[in-house]
Structures are given as structure tokens and as C-alpha cells.
Amino acid sequence: MVGVFLIFYGAVLTMSSTFTLHISQAKNTDPAEVCALRIIRSNFTDPMGNLKSWDNGDPCTSNWTGVFCATSNDEYLHIEQLQLLNYNLSGVLAPELGLLSQLKIMDFMWNAISGTIPKEIGNITSLRLLLLSGNKLSGSLPDEIGNLPRLNRLQIDENHISGPIPKSFANLRNISHLHMNNNSLSGQIPYELFTLPVLLHLLVDNNNLSGLLPPELGSLPNLRILQLDNNNFSGSSIPASYSNMTTLVKLSLRNCNLHGIIPDLSRMPQLGYLDLSWNMLNGSIPSNLAIYITTIDLSHNFLNGTITSTFNGLHRLQQVSLQNNQLVGSVPSSIWQSRAFNPNDTLILNFQNNSLTNITAADCPSNVTVLLFGNPLCINASQLNIVHLCQPKSVNQTSEGPTTYQNTCPPCPVDEHYERNPLSMSCQCSLPLTVGFRLKSPGISDFPPYMKDFESHLTSLLHLLSHQLYIESYMWESGPRLNMSLKLFPNSSSLFNSSEVVRLAGTLASWDIHISDVYGPYELLSLSRGPRESDSSKSRLSKGALAGILLGAIVGAASLSVMLTVLIMRKHPRYYSISRKKSSVTTLKLNNVKCFTFEEMVLATRNFCKSTQVGQGGYGKVYKGTLDDGRLVAIKRALEGTLQGSKEFLTEIEFLSRLHHRNLVSLVGYCDEQNEQMLVYEFMCNGTLRDHLSEKRNESLSFSKRLHIALGSARGILYLHCEADPPVFHRDIKASNILLDSKFHAKVADFGISRLAPVPDKDGSIPGYVSTVVKGTPGYLDPEYILTHQLTDKSDVYSLGVVFLELLTGMRPISHGKNIVREQLVQFSTKGIGCGYLWRQRQAYC
Ligand SMILES: *[C@@H]1O[C@H](CO)[C@@H](O)[C@H](O)[C@H]1NC(C)=O
Ligand SMILES: *[C@@H]1O[C@H](CO)[C@@H](O)[C@H](O)[C@H]1NC(C)=O
Ligand SMILES: *[C@@H]1O[C@H](CO)[C@@H](O)[C@H](O)[C@H]1NC(C)=O
Ligand SMILES: *[C@@H]1O[C@H](CO)[C@@H](O)[C@H](O)[C@H]1NC(C)=O
């Protein structure tokens, strides 16, 4: 475990400087904002405890998850970003959000927040990014949002928002991105929007908008993408003024109930994507389309006339869909004959269900698919030699799995989730950042020809080398949108350092980069480190990063480990250097100990339900859990924020992952996430030995069982002292640390304060004891250890002797102020059992 921290040591040093810098300002967050945050939080349901860090301290200086602050000139720190992407939050948005008066980024995307958008958000005049996509928000858009003079990006897509688009939005002088698709917005698109000087992307597809398409939008000076699919502008035609949108890159008005003719599109030199399908348009196919166009979908209309030479010389064309119209004449083979193809290029020409009667030449190359089913010329298919083109066929967009590469490198260590960068020549194993990335309104319809370009485009924007980005897979979704899983690999090291993680995550989450309009706007779905979040080192960072980049969480985790490492090293310089070396070995061996996610723990214990609690100690509570494979386990959940607990947590994992014996309890795994530390053990259904010795128990243990238990515990300790290498001093042997399984086999538990036995000195002699502060449980403590502070194996044996006395008498080691050793040994000696027994046992050993 310590080793896990050490992996991040370098990173940690970087972070700690930022961290101290933060502290040294000695300012706190504006009390009004702190208060607002607390109310905001209290309005959320946070089943995963993602906002636990909000329980304590100050938002800015204690690194609350998702809270980022700005330095300021006044006496307080102010909250500048609230980034809570993908945190499983439900509940509602509190009006107190409006009190975060210096907020620039508000990001609640991909949660399950319901209720309405509070109008008070309109008070945050500094707000630049308002990101609410992917929630369950309802109600209407407050007019007050229009008061935000700096708002650059409004994303409310994929919610249940209804009502009209407020006219006040015309005041958003700095808005570039209005993404409001997949809601229930109704009414007319307000013509007032035409005044928005820097509007680039207007996405309002999949709503209930109606009325006429406002001609005024034709004078939007900078509009690049206009996507209004799946609305009902019944009776409207496409205003002629839209011919004047000379900056358009994408025009998508699919299924909008539009009538009339298609206006002149010849003055749009950058138009790359045209979708006017599923309307009632008539007239002819537009001519003089931009030479960059990739996709033309005019299917399911009433278009007539011929497919003349309109599409000749369009070298980027990927798809022409003209099916289900009333087109006549010949299929012009010049479309593909006039075109130079690159190796990855494909072209789909879907002309099905028209009135086409001839084809100029039937010789199309293999990367061109021509579909002619349902045209009169298919009657003469065999004559024209086009039988294969006349089969009924639908064209499905394909998605692709990962490309596999030849690789002669040895496999990477399985337990660490390290991978090789498939694009790199080297055998370096590294931990990539996985990014869920979706193009919301791409200007292409076939990805492979653009993959290389996309990779180099995105990597240059992110200041990475092009081989550092690997597109693991992609999938077309309805929209169409292009959903990709990206992996960012460190260049030549095995890990990105934390400042790189923060930089990359921050860049992606704050839309600091502007990707080319060919790809349209992107959205960030997730961001995590490694393929699964079950490696502890990774999950620390991944959660941080996931959250959209929770500098806070990262710094929090990192600073915790700094504090721990520093504290531990300072406290025990000599022993730490030893166990550090050990623990890096341990880290490699950790493969039989699983790292669980917090979620898995929640599931196993039914959210730490009281009925699953089976014990409680100074360390925290113990729950009985069921893993998803059906295994019963005991889950020990550390009390929050106890550094003592944290240290014991590490020690326990370190020892138990290394020690295996049938009389030692076995560690199944651990969970170290979200400020929670849990240890997962095999479940011991008969509880602790102490339980069975108390008078409460009806059924008392038989003598043979007691003997069996005594032997078992002694074997466990013998193993620790004589077989483990290096030997271990348990330091806390007591009846409540001896657990009993279903057959009453004894297993020694709780290595939280255990210590390694001393290692040989330079001259080869072994000191035989460890000088240390006295720890353990009163009543079990070896008097010699108390006096000399020298811990030896014999101290454990003494404690075990006390346990034996308990076994024999059923008494507690100290009861009513009397010590069992003093009281009982006298009795035993008088009864002839021999006081020397314990003593002899303590002398001859190993
Ligand atoms: C948007 O709405 C359309 C139509 O209801 C649906 O097909 C599509 O899946 C939705 N898109 C998303 C991203 O939810
Ligand atoms: C396009 O813009 C020009 C100049 O602003 C204007 O004269 C013309 O009427 C507009 N065309 C349409 C169809 O609105
Ligand atoms: C079909 O087109 C070919 C080539 O242009 C032409 O030779 C032929 O006469 C045409 N057939 C009909 C029935 O028009
Ligand atoms: C982190 O990594 C980047 C890129 O590899 C490097 O430029 C930077 O100096 C590193 N930062 C630290 C503090 O190591």
C-alpha cells in the first residue's frame, strides 16, 4: 500500500507545492459562498458519498471535491469553478447557486438532478460556462439566464426542459454555443436570436419547437452549425435568407415538417454536411454545393428533376442519400468517375425508390456502394449489368472495435492495469487516461478516413504527440453523434504526472480548445485513468479526474499521501526505510488482494445498512457483506479522517497481503476511495473468541474446542514469529482479535499496529527487540515491554498467555480492577497447574 503511494511520490511532490501555496495565503472562502455551498449540497442526494469532502473544513483551502477557487484582491477566496461532472448526484439545484457571485464554470453534467433551473443563476454575471447536460431537469428556462453577459456556453441538452426559448437570450452577447437538444422546448424559435454576434453552434434538435423558421436567423454573422432536427415547423419553408449564412458548416433540418423548395446553397463555401431528409420539400436538388461537403441527405422528400452533374468533383463526399424522392433520368457515373479516392475512403450513393431509368456506366469501384432498388431501371437490371446494385438494402453506419496491433512485447503486469500504447514502438507499459468523448454534431458520416486527421488535430490542441492518442473504439449513435473511447498515453514514462492529468482534464472540461468544425462540438462523457477503476493508485486519480477533473480531489488524495508518507517517515525513520523496501515487493504481490470500488462496497453491504453491521471497534464499524460472486466477507470501515486509522490501514494491507497461514485471517481486498478506507476479510461466522467467552453466550465452548482454539492461535503466532520472513510482532494479541470460523478454527486478526521484527545490523547481529512506544491493549501488555519499551516476540507470547487464561476461566483480563494474571496464576499454582507454565512458555521459543 505504501508502495502504491510511492508510485505517486514524484507526482505528489509537485502537488504538494501547489497545496502549500494554497495554504500559505491563509485566506478562507467567502463565508456567504461557504454557506451557499452547504445549502447546495444539502439539496443533493449523494448516494456514493462523492461530496464527503464537503463535510469538513473550508471549500477552497480544504480542497472540496469539484470546487476550484480563484485568488482575489479582497480578504476572501472565491469559488470560480464548480465541476461536478458524472457524480451520481440527484436532488435539485438550490437557488443559493446564485450566491456564488464569482463563478465562471458551473458543471453538473451527467448526473440525475431534477427540478427546475433556478432563476438565481441569472445573478452570476461572471458565469462563462453553464453545463447542465444529461440530467432530469424540468420546468422552463428562466428569462434571467439572458442576463449573463459573459456566458459563452449554455448546455442543457438531454433534460426534460419545456416551455419556450426565452427572448432574453438575445442579450447573450458572448454566447457561442447554445446546446439545447433533446428536451421538450416548445413555441417558436425567437427571431431575436439573430442579434447574437458570436453564436457558432445552435443545437435545438429533438424538441417540440413549432411555428415558422425565423428568416432573421439568416443574418447571424458567424453561425457554423444549425441543427434543428425532429421539431415540427409545420408549414414553414426554409427561408431564402438562409442562403446568406455563408459561414455554415453544417445544416441539419431533418424531420422538421418543412415544405417548399431548397434555397440556394451555393454561397456556403464551407458547407460540409447537409441533412434535409424526412420533410416535404419539392423542387430540384441544390447545385453548386461546397467542394468540402461530405454528406448530403435529402432522402424522404418530394424532390424531382434529375441527378445531373451536381455531385461531380466533390472529393470528400462520403454519403449521398436521395432515396424516396421522385428523381428521374440517369444515374450519373461521373460522381465516382470524376473522383480520386484515398485508401480509406468510401462512398455510399443511396438512390433507392426513385424514378431513375438508366445508368451511364455500371463499373463502380469496390469502395463505392450504389443502391438502386425501387427504380424503373432495375427492371432491366440484367441488361444493364446492375443486378447487384438493385438488391434492397439499408445502409447501417458501422462501428468499429479496437484495431489490434502486432506486438512482440511481454505482457504488462495484470494487476496494475498498465497497458502498452498500441501506437508506440516501445514495450513501455503505462497507465493511460481514458476519455469518453462524443462528437455531438459531426460534419462527417464515415470516420476512418478522418481518424488520422482527428488524432493529430486533437493531440496538437492538447499539446501531446500524435502517437499519444489512441482511439480505442467508436460508435455511431442516433443524431448522428459519434461516441468514442479515447486513450491518452504518457509519452515515454509509465504515468502522466499529476500536473499533466490536471492540465489535460482541465483543458477538456473547460472547453479551452476549439476543435475543428469538421468534427463539430464535442462533449466530455467521462474521464478516468485506466480501463477499470479497481487499482487503488489509479482510482484515486481516476475519481479525481473523472469528476471532471477534480483538481480538488487529486490534490486532496495526493496531499493526504504526502502527509502520510512524510508523517510516517518522520516518525519511524529506520523502520520506514525497511518496510518501504518491503512494500514495493508487496505491491507486486498484491495480486491476491483485490482493490474494491466504493460502489462495490455499497452494494455488498446494502449501503452500510444497519442490519449488516456485525461489530464496532475503535477503528470503525464492521459489516457483513456479500460480494457479487456470492462470497461472504467482513468489511471493516475506518472512521473517517482518522490519520491513525489510515496508518493502520496501510500496515494491515501491507502485512496481510504478505502473510498467509490457515490460522491468520485472510484479507480479500481493500477499498481506498472517496476518503473511505475499508478492509475486506473472509467472513468468520463465529465471530471473536471474546464473544464466546462472555457470559452472554448461552452455549459455552467445550473444553476440546477451547484447546483447539488455543492451539490454532498459537500456530498463527508461531508462524508470524518463526516462519514469516522477516518475522512480524503482532503487538495486539487479545481474545477479540482471535476470530473463529464455522468449524471454530482460530484465526488471528488485526495487524493494524504490528511491526516487523528487527533486521540484522551491519555486523550481522540481530538486536532481538524493537524500541518503540508502548501500544496494545491493557491487560494483555507484557510488563517487561511496558517497562523497557522494547518489543520482542515474547511480548506477543505473554499476551497469548493471557488469552489462554481467559480460555480457561472465561474471565476478562481486567475485571473489577483486578488483573487476571495476578489473580488466576496464584490460583492455578495452588491447584498444581503450575505457575511456571506461562513463564516457561515465554522463555523457550522458536
Ligand atoms: C435525442 O432524442 C432522439 C429522439 O427522441 C433520440 O432518438 C436520441 O437517442 C436522443 N439522443 C440522446 C443523446 O439522448
Ligand atoms: C442576403 O444579404 C444581402 C446583403 O445583406 C441582402 O441584400 C439580401 O437580400 C439577402 N438575401 C436574402 C435572400 O435574404
Ligand atoms: C442508357 O444509357 C446508355 C449510356 O449512356 C445509353 O447508351 C443507352 O441508350 C441508354 N438507354 C436508354 C434506354 O435510354
Ligand atoms: C509533467 O510532465 C510534463 C510532460 O511530460 C513535463 O513537461 C512536466 O515538466 C512534468 N512536470 C513535473 C512537475 O514533473
Side-chain angles (χ1 to χ4, degrees):
M1 193 57 209
V2 177
V4 166
F5 284 133
L6 291 176
I7 296 172
F8 280 89
Y9 201 64
V12 150
L13 291 179
T14 337
M15 298 314 301
S16 62
S17 55
T18 340
F19 185 65
T20 31
L21 213 132
H22 233 79
I23 297 270
S24 65
Q25 289 164 351
K27 279 191 194 179
N28 278 330
T29 313
D30 186 334
E33 296 178 29
V34 180
C35 174
L37 284 183
R38 292 195 194 282
I39 298 172
I40 291 162
R41 191 214 175 166
S42 68
N43 279 272
F44 284 142
T45 310
D46 176 20
M48 299 297 164
N50 285 314
L51 303 186
K52 261 219 154 71
S53 62
W54 292 31
D55 285 341
N56 302 304
D58 178 85
C60 294
T61 56
S62 316
N63 299 305
W64 285 17
T65 301
V67 176
F68 300 87
C69 301
T71 51
S72 65
N73 300 325
D74 63 30
E75 57 183 316
Y76 294 120
L77 295 168
H78 297 283
I79 292 150
E80 192 180 64
Q81 301 185 17
L82 205 48
Q83 300 241 18
L84 297 173
L85 173 112
N86 205 344
Y87 261 146
N88 264 305
L89 301 174
S90 50
V92 299
L93 297 175
E96 282 75 8
L97 279 165
L99 298 175
L100 305 176
S101 59
Q102 310 212 4
L103 201 64
K104 290 185 175 159
I105 301 181
M106 186 189 295
D107 180 352
F108 291 118
M109 295 199 296
W110 315 118
N111 285 293
I113 301 168
S114 52
T116 59
I117 300 176
K119 63 179 192 305
E120 289 77 4
I121 289 178
N123 298 338
I124 314 174
T125 51
S126 53
L127 200 62
R128 290 187 56 248
L129 270 49
L130 177 53
L131 310 171
L132 304 173
S133 310
N135 281 290
K136 295 176 176 164
L137 295 167
S138 56
S140 56
L141 280 167
D143 287 343
E144 288 79 357
I145 302 281
N147 300 343
L148 298 170
R150 297 202 173 81
L151 195 66
N152 175 263
R153 185 177 280 268
L154 174 64
Q155 292 187 184
I156 57 155
D157 42 296
E158 298 187 45
N159 278 290
H160 311 307
I161 293 168
S162 54
I165 301 173
K167 290 188 170 56
S168 64
F169 278 19
N171 301 325
L172 298 170
R173 312 306 295 168
N174 278 300
I175 197 92
S176 292
H177 299 273
L178 266 177
H179 299 176
M180 307 192 284
N181 53 281
N182 288 72
N183 279 291
S184 305
L185 297 172
S186 57
Q188 210 164 339
I189 297 178
Y191 76 88
E192 288 88 350
L193 296 188
F194 81 93
T195 57
L196 297 176
V198 293
L199 187 64
L200 299 176
H201 298 166
L202 178 58
L203 310 184
V204 262
D205 49 289
N206 297 297
N207 278 291
N208 298 328
L209 296 168
S210 58
L212 299 180
L213 280 180
E216 291 81 359
L217 292 191
S219 48
L220 274 168
N222 286 299
L223 196 69
R224 303 283 160 80
I225 297 179
L226 180 61
Q227 181 154 7
L228 308 178
D229 314 343
N230 299 318
N231 282 291
N232 188 355
F233 305 108
S234 57
S236 183
S237 59
I238 304 173
S241 62
Y242 286 17
S243 304
N244 271 351
M245 291 185 170
T246 53
T247 51
L248 267 195
V249 169
K250 176 164 180 171
L251 177 62
S252 194
L253 305 173
R254 183 189 189 91
N255 191 27
C256 283
N257 204 356
L258 297 170
H259 296 251
I261 59 161
I262 300 173
D264 178 18
L265 303 177
S266 66
R267 275 175 289 146
M268 299 181 183
Q270 299 166 61
L271 189 68
Y273 195 109
L274 175 67
D275 186 348
L276 305 176
S277 61
W278 296 93
N279 283 296
M280 286 175 272
L281 299 169
N282 54 33
S284 55
I285 293 170
S287 57
N288 295 323
L289 291 169
I291 56 166
Y292 299 126
I293 202 153
T294 66
T295 306
I296 301 167
D297 191 347
L298 305 174
S299 63
H300 300 271
N301 276 293
F302 300 110
L303 299 175
N304 50 38
T306 59
I307 316 170
T308 52
S309 56
T310 310
F311 306 122
N312 290 358
L314 304 179
H315 291 285
R316 297 198 184 165
L317 211 51
Q318 299 183 323
Q319 185 193 326
V320 180
S321 301
L322 302 176
Q323 70 270 25
N324 299 73
N325 276 292
Q326 297 163 0
L327 299 167
V328 296
S330 289
V331 176
S333 52
S334 54
I335 297 177
W336 59 86
Q337 285 166 343
S338 68
R339 155 95 191 259
F341 288 94
N342 289 322
N344 278 328
D345 288 348
T346 57
L347 175 60
I348 296 172
L349 303 171
N350 190 344
F351 297 156
Q352 296 180 92
N353 301 314
N354 275 289
S355 303
L356 302 167
T357 48
N358 202 351
I359 184 165
T360 51
D363 61 323
C364 48
S366 62
N367 51 348
V368 179
T369 308
V370 185
L371 305 174
L372 298 175
F373 176 79
N375 280 287
L377 86 172
C378 282
I379 298 164
N380 301 325
S382 54
Q383 228 171 314
L384 293 166
N385 203 16
I386 52 166
V387 176
H388 57 297
L389 308 182
C390 281
Q391 310 301 318
K393 240 189 229 172
S394 63
V395 185
N396 287 327
Q397 276 161 326
T398 52
S399 57
E400 214 152 277
T403 327
T404 46
Y405 289 78
Q406 201 70 21
N407 199 333
T408 53
C409 297
C412 288
V414 195
D415 54 326
E416 292 285 355
H417 309 309
Y418 278 66
E419 302 174 37
R420 291 215 166 69
N421 179 351
L423 305 176
S424 160
M425 303 303 280
S426 91
C427 280
Q428 170 94 51
C429 289
S430 49
L431 195 56
L433 274 169
T434 307
V435 184
F437 196 86
R438 184 159 66 173
L439 302 180
K440 242 181 203 178
S441 183
I444 53 174
S445 47
D446 186 29
F447 192 40
Y450 284 83
M451 268 165 94
K452 274 263 149 320
D453 176 72
F454 175 79
E455 282 167 0
S456 61
H457 181 61
L458 191 57
T459 48
S460 78
L461 290 171
L462 292 173
H463 301 290
L464 298 173
L465 301 172
S466 69
H467 75 261
Q468 290 184 261
L469 169 68
Y470 174 58
I471 302 172
E472 187 183 40
S473 61
Y474 67 85
M475 190 172 71
W476 286 98
E477 294 176 348
S478 79
R481 308 184 204 282
L482 184 56
N483 190 336
M484 301 184 222
S485 170
L486 307 180
K487 282 194 169 157
L488 305 178
F489 283 91
N491 182 20
S492 53
S493 53
S494 58
L495 292 167
F496 280 113
N497 60 37
S498 338
S499 47
E500 277 288 276
V501 174
V502 170
R503 181 185 72 81
L504 289 168
T507 306
L508 289 167
S510 57
W511 278 270
D512 282 344
I513 51 173
H514 299 284
I515 75 169
S516 156
D517 283 316
V518 171
Y519 303 109
Y522 73 86
E523 54 194 338
L524 193 62
L525 302 178
S526 63
L527 202 155
S528 66
R529 187 163 253 246
R532 284 191 296 130
E533 292 178 15
S534 48
D535 175 83
S536 113
S537 58
K538 186 165 22 84
S539 64
R540 273 172 174 275
L541 276 169
S542 75
K543 272 298 162 191
L546 207 169
I549 315 40
L550 311 170
L551 177 58
I554 297 170
V555 172
S559 53
L560 176 69
S561 51
V562 178
M563 291 189 311
L564 270 174
T565 319
V566 169
L567 204 120
I568 290 167
M569 295 213 301
R570 201 187 289 152
K571 218 163 162 190
H572 306 293
R574 174 152 162 239
Y575 289 95
Y576 237 77
S577 57
I578 298 165
S579 29
R580 204 158 94 191
K581 206 163 75 224
K582 289 289 164 211
S583 64
S584 46
V585 177
T586 313
T587 333
L588 291 179
K589 283 192 202 154
L590 274 180
N591 51 1
N592 36 22
V593 174
K594 185 171 182 254
C595 173
F596 290 95
T597 63
F598 184 71
E599 222 161 301
E600 287 172 300
M601 297 290 90
V602 167
L603 285 176
T605 57
R606 285 180 280 138
N607 202 11
F608 304 103
C609 164
K610 199 136 186 92
S611 68
T612 61
Q613 191 182 325
V614 290
Q616 181 154 20
Y619 181 94
K621 290 178 177 161
V622 183
Y623 298 86
K624 176 179 179 178
T626 313
L627 298 181
D628 57 5
D629 60 6
R631 240 186 320 169
L632 278 182
V633 288
I635 298 176
K636 198 153 121 184
R637 185 188 197 190
L639 284 177
E640 276 167 50
T642 49
L643 200 58
Q644 189 61 29
S646 302
K647 192 188 145 197
E648 292 181 10
F649 177 76
L650 300 184
T651 315
E652 179 100 359
I653 296 176
E654 194 184 354
F655 282 115
L656 273 184
S657 60
R658 198 162 61 81
L659 303 172
H660 301 283
H661 188 270
R662 68 198 142 88
N663 293 112
L664 299 187
V665 72
S666 66
L667 184 70
V668 177
Y670 63 98
C671 168
D672 187 11
E673 258 186 46
Q674 302 174 9
N675 294 332
E676 289 271 6
Q677 294 181 318
M678 282 174 258
L679 294 164
V680 183
Y681 304 92
E682 59 177 322
F683 188 73
M684 304 290 285
C685 58
N686 275 311
T688 72
L689 172 59
R690 186 65 252 166
D691 295 342
H692 288 270
L693 296 176
S694 335
E695 300 84 19
K696 281 184 286 182
R697 287 265 162 179
N698 303 333
E699 216 181 310
S700 79
L701 287 171
S702 68
F703 187 74
S704 70
K705 268 187 188 146
R706 291 181 196 232
L707 208 55
H708 181 64
I709 292 165
L711 265 174
S713 8
R715 284 195 184 111
I717 291 161
L718 188 69
Y719 165 80
L720 292 179
H721 291 177
C722 302
E723 287 165 53
D725 179 25
V728 170
F729 300 159
H730 184 283
R731 250 215 302 183
D732 201 14
I733 301 287
K734 55 182 172 183
S736 54
N737 279 342
I738 292 175
L739 304 179
L740 302 172
D741 72 6
S742 56
K743 295 182 180 141
F744 288 91
H745 292 311
K747 301 203 180 197
V748 178
D750 201 342
F751 290 76
I753 57 170
S754 299
R755 295 291 293 267
L756 286 179
V759 290
D761 279 350
K762 265 184 264 144
D763 57 6
S765 67
I766 302 180
Y769 61 86
V770 179
S771 291
T772 167
V773 291
V774 175
K775 274 193 185 175
T777 306
Y780 293 94
L781 278 168
D782 172 13
E784 234 175 84
Y785 169 41
I786 300 178
L787 286 174
T788 62
H789 290 206
Q790 294 180 347
L791 178 70
T792 70
D793 49 5
K794 298 186 183 69
S795 313
D796 281 349
V797 176
Y798 178 91
S799 308
L800 183 64
V802 177
V803 173
F804 288 177
L805 281 177
E806 282 184 86
L807 265 171
L808 288 171
T809 64
M811 289 174 65
R812 289 183 177 273
I814 298 176
S815 59
H816 307 294
K818 290 180 180 162
N819 189 307
I820 192 175
V821 178
R822 195 170 307 128
E823 300 295 313
Q824 295 300 323
L825 278 185
V826 177
Q827 283 198 27
F828 282 128
S829 62
T830 57
K831 286 177 187 163
I833 293 179
C835 149
Y837 174 72
L838 266 187
W839 193 248
R840 276 201 306 279
Q841 189 194 24
R842 201 180 172 287
Q843 293 306 310
Y845 203 59
C846 281

